[in-house]
């Protein structure tokens, strides 16, 4: 079976989004061009940032239709990430709260993509 290994966000300008993700991931992009930037992640996944105006075929809509999730393990790990990301000045879309699946919060990237931190499914 083939497993997905690339998530792509359509962004206004990859050069504007790259510093956000460089700081968040603590690493340089694995690939960078004027229209596409990719970050290789430790789990084998890559995150691509593709200039919206160069996407083919063009997307039919823009908006929050999904989230990039960061499942963090350990007692207080979600809260620790919340304090760290808030201190970095990342825009908070959902303050730290407890939902059916446990503690969670959501921040936004420069293009409004939702990044959710939560605990792993048990």
């Amino acid at each position: 079976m083939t497993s997905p290994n690339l998530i792509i966000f359509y962004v206004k300008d990859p050069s504007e989004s790259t510093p956000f993700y460089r700081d968040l991931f603590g690493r340089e992009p694995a690939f960078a061009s004027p229209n596409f930037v990719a970050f290789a992640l430790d789990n084998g996944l890559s995150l691509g940032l593709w200039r919206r105006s160069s996407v083919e075929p063009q997307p039919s809509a823009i908006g929050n239709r999904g989230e990039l999730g960061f499942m963090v393990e350990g007692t207080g790990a979600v809260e620790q990430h919340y304090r760290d990301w808030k201190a970095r000045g990342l825009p908070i879309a959902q303050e730290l709260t407890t939902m059916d699946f446990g503690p969670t919060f959501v921040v936004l990237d420069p293009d409004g993509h939702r990044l959710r931190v939560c605990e792993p499914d048990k």
Side-chain angles (χ1 to χ4, degrees):
M1 176 178 179
T2 303
S3 296
N5 56 10
L6 173 64
I7 296 169
I8 299 173
F9 282 166
Y10 303 149
V11 299
K12 177 182 168 197
D13 182 348
S15 68
E16 292 176 9
S17 298
T18 296
F20 176 89
Y21 285 100
R22 181 186 294 125
D23 181 56
L24 190 68
F25 297 147
R27 68 184 66 201
E28 293 296 319
F31 175 84
S33 73
N35 292 318
F36 188 84
V37 173
F39 286 89
L41 307 176
D42 293 338
N43 59 4
L45 222 69
S46 291
L47 175 66
L49 307 172
W50 195 354
R51 183 183 304 272
R52 254 191 320 265
S53 63
S54 70
V55 172
E56 291 294 336
Q58 275 289 297
S60 59
I62 297 172
N64 293 327
R65 300 187 189 273
E67 299 177 342
L68 183 61
F70 297 78
M71 293 190 290
V72 296
E73 293 190 58
T75 304
V78 173
E79 292 87 349
Q80 181 180 352
H81 275 76
Y82 174 77
R83 287 190 301 274
D84 177 45
W85 289 13
K86 190 167 187 167
R88 292 183 192 199
L90 303 184
I92 306 291
Q94 180 184 36
E95 294 290 337
L96 181 63
T97 189
T98 300
M99 299 186 74
D100 293 346
F101 50 87
T104 188
F105 68 95
V106 175
V107 302
L108 302 176
D109 80 357
D111 288 276
H113 296 109
R114 296 163 59 128
L115 311 177
R116 179 178 297 279
V117 177
C118 59
E119 294 178 342
D121 298 332
K122 297 187 192 237

